[in-house]
Amino acid sequence: MSEEKHEPVPYQTFILIWVALIILTGITVGVAQFDLGAVNVWVALSVASLKSALVLFVFMHLRQESLLFKIGLLAMLVILVIFIGLTFTDVLYREVLL
Amino acid sequence: MSFEHRDDTGDRFGMWLFLYTEVILFSGLFILYAIALTTYPQEYITASNKLNIWFGAANTVVLLTSSLTIALAITAIQRNQIRLCISLCVATIGLAFVFLINKYFEWSHEISLGIYPASETLRDMGPGVTSFFNLYYFTAGLHGLHVLIGATLITVVAVMVAKGKVTSDRYVLLENSALYWHLVDLVWIFLFPLYYLII
């Protein structure tokens, strides 16, 4: 692999992302004060996914890495979906759970 | 003629591969959580309401801030601002300890209420609440262990920066420790809403 140095990410970028993460945390906590049924879990998971994307791409410098790193992440996510999906095709169709 | 064997990109890729296995490790616990949540929806709400949202929210802010400080530390070392880099590492380690101290008070409170694995109080509350707290203690405990390991790693690297062994020319060790620290943050980003915010 070639040795290409990353350009330093400006301090300001990181601070802005941190502000966004704090605001998103506020949104999750705020939404959780109201009982919206199943919507609560989906809002919580969507906001958590968005926060993860910010951490992965900016804080963890994934944005600056080569395609290989991104394919790696994608492969891991596909494995995770198979892992979760197959588990639930079993669990959801059982007569008696656990 | 001396030839230095060095592959920073390869080193970082190796770290990412390791982090994927860490994600798989934690996702096993989150799958158990999801199965138990669909099995005991009502009990999970009861159990989650026993956790203090503000302890969880405070720790979320602490971890997000520590992720910021370690990310800034990398820019600092790239710009050869060594003193700033060390200060930011120290801030990260400090925040890690704030997190753990917070966790100590939180768990002490819960244990004083009789909520701990295999306690009689939990047995009386039935299998749903028990499974919630068993998973909570195990997942948060494993996460806490990662906080401790991450803080140790960053301490070692901060000393190496101070001694000039990690420099603005060669800082992959700091990058990889930072990546590990961000993973700790990522796990908490999912752990917090799932355990504390279910209503």
Side-chain angles (χ1 to χ4, degrees):
Chain A
M1 288 180 202
S2 59
E3 281 319 320
E4 27 177 308
K5 285 238 177 252
H6 292 161
E7 277 299 302
V9 178
Y11 293 126
Q12 213 184 352
T13 311
F14 283 138
I15 293 167
L16 281 174
I17 293 297
W18 174 77
V19 170
L21 289 169
I22 297 290
I23 291 171
L24 286 170
T25 306
I27 290 173
T28 338
V29 174
V31 170
Q33 306 307 311
F34 306 98
D35 189 355
L36 307 170
V39 175
N40 281 110
V41 178
W42 293 112
V43 169
L45 286 178
S46 311
V47 175
S49 306
L50 184 57
K51 286 167 78 178
S52 305
L54 290 177
V55 171
L56 282 163
F57 281 94
V58 186
F59 279 1
M60 297 172 85
H61 299 87
L62 191 56
R63 214 168 36 144
Q64 294 168 296
E65 298 287 6
S66 62
L67 189 62
L68 178 68
F69 287 70
K70 290 160 191 162
I71 292 171
L73 175 69
L74 190 66
M76 191 272 286
L77 290 175
V78 170
I79 290 169
L80 215 58
V81 168
I82 295 170
F83 198 14
I84 296 170
L86 284 183
T87 308
F88 274 90
T89 56
D90 176 0
V91 171
L92 288 179
Y93 297 101
R94 284 189 197 180
E95 289 286 308
V96 181
L97 286 173
L98 301 182
Chain B
M1 187 182 122
S2 73
F3 181 78
E4 193 190 13
H5 182 80
R6 176 177 171 182
D7 182 356
D8 289 352
T9 311
D11 285 352
R12 281 200 309 277
F13 191 65
M15 191 64 191
W16 276 92
L17 285 179
F18 167 64
L19 294 186
Y20 297 149
T21 71
E22 289 272 69
V23 172
I24 300 289
L25 168 70
F26 277 99
S27 68
L29 295 169
F30 284 119
I31 288 171
L32 279 177
Y33 174 92
I35 293 168
L37 180 67
T38 49
T39 315
Y40 305 106
Q42 220 45 55
E43 290 87 341
Y44 263 51
I45 293 169
T46 317
S48 175
N49 285 339
K50 293 182 193 300
L51 292 182
N52 188 329
I53 287 185
W54 303 113
F55 267 121
N59 265 349
T60 306
V61 174
V62 168
L63 272 195
L64 290 175
T65 311
S66 70
S67 250
L68 169 69
T69 52
I70 200 69
L72 292 174
I74 291 185
T75 303
I77 203 158
Q78 286 170 326
R79 290 182 178 171
N80 207 11
Q81 296 164 321
I82 299 301
R83 286 182 65 93
L84 180 63
C85 174
I86 294 171
S87 310
L88 285 165
C89 288
V90 170
T92 310
I93 298 157
L95 287 164
F97 279 96
V98 170
F99 179 90
L100 290 174
I101 290 166
N102 206 341
K103 197 100 236 163
Y104 166 78
F105 283 116
E106 186 187 7
W107 279 17
S108 305
H109 174 69
E110 279 147 18
I111 290 167
S112 75
L113 294 176
I115 297 170
Y116 51 90
S119 77
E120 291 197 358
T121 321
L122 274 188
R123 201 181 53 201
D124 296 341
M125 290 183 201
V129 176
T130 305
S131 94
F132 178 91
F133 280 105
N134 284 349
L135 276 174
Y136 161 74
Y137 275 111
F138 192 80
T139 314
L142 190 62
H143 176 263
L145 187 65
H146 280 76
V147 171
L148 205 57
I149 295 169
T152 312
L153 262 175
I154 294 167
T155 310
V156 172
V157 176
V159 170
M160 291 175 82
V161 173
K163 284 185 173 171
K165 285 183 181 160
V166 170
T167 61
S168 63
D169 175 54
R170 184 167 204 171
Y171 51 85
V172 69
L173 209 57
L174 178 63
E175 280 183 305
N176 281 350
S177 310
L179 285 175
Y180 188 86
W181 190 255
H182 293 306
L183 177 93
V184 170
D185 191 26
L186 281 177
V187 171
W188 187 261
I189 284 174
F190 283 93
L191 201 157
F192 168 61
L194 289 176
Y195 282 90
Y196 290 81
L197 299 179
I198 298 290
I199 57 163

